[in-house]
Amino acid sequence: MSNEILIGIGGLVLSVLTYFAGVSRTKKQLSKQDQEGRICRVLDAYMELRRMGRTSGLDGLQKAGVATLETNSEVIELLGRIVAHGEPHPLGSDHATIILGVDLPRLFQYAAQRRVNFFQTRIEQVIKDSGSQV
């Protein structure tokens, strides 16, 4: 009789663990889909601005909605995809030194909230003003 109880309890524990593993996996998948959706929306908007010849670079990123991205990795992924489309790097030729140690989402959210004009303001000044330097 005790073996049957142990087997029943073991089955119950296994079922609960399987349920929570499934919930966790689903949350990760949805999070990844949300992240991909944000990146694609901004990329599409940026590429449309480029096709129409309206703007590019930092101004193009801002108008495309880069401030909606949530992590540094999302912004860096976006920049990589833009370059992969044959476009020049939106942060310019010295992009590696500009983004080193910078919280990019915080920088672009600050720029969007303050409506920073990147044609009149240097990116280094915006980084300093936003406090996004880590």
Side-chain angles (χ1 to χ4, degrees), residues 2-119:
S2 64
N3 286 340
E4 293 171 351
I5 293 173
L6 288 176
I7 290 173
I9 291 174
L12 181 63
V13 168
L14 184 60
S15 297
V16 169
L17 290 175
T18 303
Y19 170 78
F20 285 113
V23 168
S24 175
R25 185 167 183 246
T26 301
K27 283 182 182 179
K28 286 180 184 177
Q29 279 182 323
L30 290 175
S31 174
K32 185 70 174 166
Q33 288 173 349
D34 289 346
Q35 177 182 351
E36 183 65 23
R38 284 190 300 273
I39 293 170
C40 285
R41 268 191 306 278
V42 177
L43 177 64
D44 291 344
Y46 184 87
M47 295 309 293
E48 184 62 25
L49 288 169
R50 290 295 296 142
R51 273 190 284 282
M52 295 170 53
R54 287 191 174 170
T55 189
S56 64
L58 290 165
D59 184 60
L61 286 173
Q62 187 173 17
K63 288 180 179 175
V66 71
T68 62
L69 301 180
E70 296 179 358
T71 64
N72 267 359
S73 62
E74 288 180 18
V75 176
I76 291 170
E77 175 70 20
L78 169 70
L79 297 174
R81 289 184 188 187
I82 290 170
V83 171
H85 275 82
E87 295 292 329
H89 200 287
L91 300 181
S93 59
D94 59 343
H95 62 273
T97 57
I98 290 174
I99 63 174
L100 186 64
V102 175
D103 182 357
L104 296 172
R106 183 174 180 181
L107 168 70
F108 288 117
Q109 288 166 1
Y110 172 87
Q113 290 170 350
R114 300 286 194 287
R115 296 179 186 216
V116 172
N117 183 342
F118 284 110
F119 292 118

